Amino acid sequence: MSFEWKGIFPAVITPFTVDDQLDLDMFAINLQAQMSAGVDGIILGGTLGEASVLTIAEKERLVKFTIELTAGKLPVLLNIAEGSTHEAQQQAAKAKQWGANGLMLLPPMRYKTDHRETVTYFKNVAASTELPIILYNNPIDYKTEITPDMFEELAASNNIQAVKESTRDVSNVTRMLNRFGKRFAILCGVDTIAMEELLMGADGWVAGLVNAFPRETVAIYRLVKARKIKEAREIFQWFLPLLELDIHPKLVQYIKLAATQAGIGSEWVRAPRLSLIGEERRNILKIINDGIASRPILPDYLNL
């Protein structure tokens, strides 16, 4: 499948049952909600998907299940976050074998690579597969920044096509556009600055709170691209307290709880994460329920 790196690409949660099994029934409910809202692709096994605690067999089930459910209507991408080049190449090969349409690729985990090591890692993984790749640039959480100078060298790898821009520096969108034009598609990876980055020229948004509020997320993107800025801003202003759940170490628990309250998720997480309790749970529930109670009426954003 050929596809464009633009629009809304949910980094989907992985629903579990209370006894720690994949909850594919609930996963189907969430995927259907994403598709009905008008998203443009699905990313499996990211941070929100709890990739670090999924088995290879579970990743295979998720990929194949998603491909079957989406029936070719959306590209299905698998995230790769490995500690070694060999393991990343093996995972890329498996993703291709399972039918994935693309990859999201992080720098090596657990070891902070320098410039030469980072570029070599990405080039070697890209050379091992024909799948298109979006690089995940998140130095805040993963400590390795993919700098413009690195992208200069990576431009020779044709299947490295996009970046999930999570540096939290909005000016990085302009910096990349000034230096590379349209060579790399830019998708915002931080919910709280998504509208700003879209206004500055980002092509899309790898979203988190979309797991609970898919229609509002897609509406903001479509309205911005239609230059209906006032309408988009009003929705974004409502959304911001919820979007801030995406920039906390417990974003998985928070967003899963939001999806549960919205009726399209379950709050069960896999250890060592634990579901929320006590005052913390009450505080997060208040943010979520206040947002649900004041949910805006959306325009006909799918027909702009």
Side-chain angles (χ1 to χ4, degrees):
M1 171 194 288
S2 62
F3 63 93
E4 293 185 84
W5 295 101
K6 68 178 185 179
I8 300 298
F9 282 68
V12 293
I13 52 179
T14 302
F16 297 111
T17 62
V18 68
D19 58 349
D20 201 36
Q21 302 301 307
L22 292 181
D23 188 345
L24 295 180
D25 291 338
M26 181 55 73
F27 192 44
I29 291 171
N30 193 281
L31 288 174
Q32 291 286 6
Q34 304 301 327
M35 295 175 68
S36 296
V39 304
D40 300 281
I42 299 292
I43 299 177
L44 302 169
T47 303
L48 273 175
E50 296 175 77
S52 62
V53 293
L54 294 176
T55 67
I56 292 295
E58 287 172 330
K59 290 179 182 180
E60 180 178 4
R61 288 185 71 197
L62 288 170
V63 171
K64 291 182 176 179
F65 182 84
T66 305
I67 290 169
E68 181 178 359
L69 188 142
T70 55
K73 296 176 182 177
L74 294 174
V76 176
L77 284 67
L78 181 64
N79 180 60
I80 295 180
E82 300 294 338
S84 77
T85 302
H86 176 74
E87 288 301 317
Q89 290 171 327
Q90 292 293 105
Q91 189 67 71
K94 286 183 170 66
K96 173 71 173 177
Q97 177 186 340
W98 300 335
N101 306 114
L103 305 171
M104 185 166 75
L105 180 59
L106 276 78
M109 298 291 97
R110 295 181 289 280
Y111 169 66
K112 186 181 183 302
T113 48
D114 66 16
H115 178 115
R116 181 172 64 96
E117 291 169 329
T118 303
V119 169
T120 301
Y121 172 81
F122 284 137
K123 282 187 172 182
N124 285 342
V125 177
S128 74
T129 181
E130 297 177 352
L131 292 175
I133 295 170
I134 180 171
L135 300 184
Y136 187 177
N137 191 12
N138 185 348
I140 303 298
D141 293 324
Y142 297 113
K143 310 310 177 188
T144 300
E145 181 174 2
I146 313 170
T147 65
D149 287 345
M150 292 180 188
F151 277 107
E152 189 76 53
E153 297 181 51
L154 293 168
S157 298
N158 292 331
N159 59 335
I160 297 178
Q161 298 176 355
V163 56
K164 179 183 176 183
E165 169 50 47
S166 298
T167 63
R168 291 162 173 74
D169 181 355
V170 175
S171 63
N172 222 28
V173 174
T174 302
R175 195 170 290 117
M176 290 290 289
L177 289 170
N178 283 347
R179 185 154 177 180
F180 301 109
K182 290 295 184 180
R183 168 60 184 85
F184 299 103
I186 303 169
L187 284 75
C188 179
V190 182
D191 278 1
T192 54
I193 56 173
M195 184 165 172
E196 289 88 342
E197 293 207 343
L198 290 170
L199 287 168
M200 296 310 298
D203 301 284
W205 177 3
V206 177
L209 266 296
V210 69
N211 282 282
F213 302 97
R215 295 181 67 250
E216 290 84 355
T217 306
V218 178
I220 290 168
Y221 170 78
R222 298 282 183 101
L223 288 164
V224 169
K225 293 305 179 181
R227 307 310 296 174
K228 295 183 178 293
I229 306 305
K230 179 178 181 294
E231 294 94 327
R233 187 175 63 243
E234 288 173 354
I235 301 169
F236 195 78
Q237 286 174 337
W238 160 83
F239 212 175
L240 186 60
L242 293 158
L243 297 177
E244 287 176 334
L245 302 178
D246 183 58
I247 54 172
H248 190 278
K250 291 189 180 179
L251 77 164
V252 175
Q253 290 95 317
Y254 292 177
I255 292 175
K256 278 195 159 184
L257 185 57
T260 302
Q261 294 302 106
I264 56 173
S266 65
E267 64 180 286
W268 308 115
V269 290
R270 179 165 283 177
R273 289 184 178 89
L274 297 174
S275 297
L276 304 177
I277 59 172
E279 183 178 2
E280 181 182 25
R281 189 174 193 275
R282 289 192 294 273
N283 291 340
I284 299 305
L285 272 175
K286 184 178 188 312
I287 294 170
I288 295 166
N289 290 335
D290 285 352
I292 290 173
S294 59
R295 212 166 181 172
I297 296 172
L298 300 178
D300 185 14
Y301 66 88
L302 291 176
N303 292 300
L304 293 174

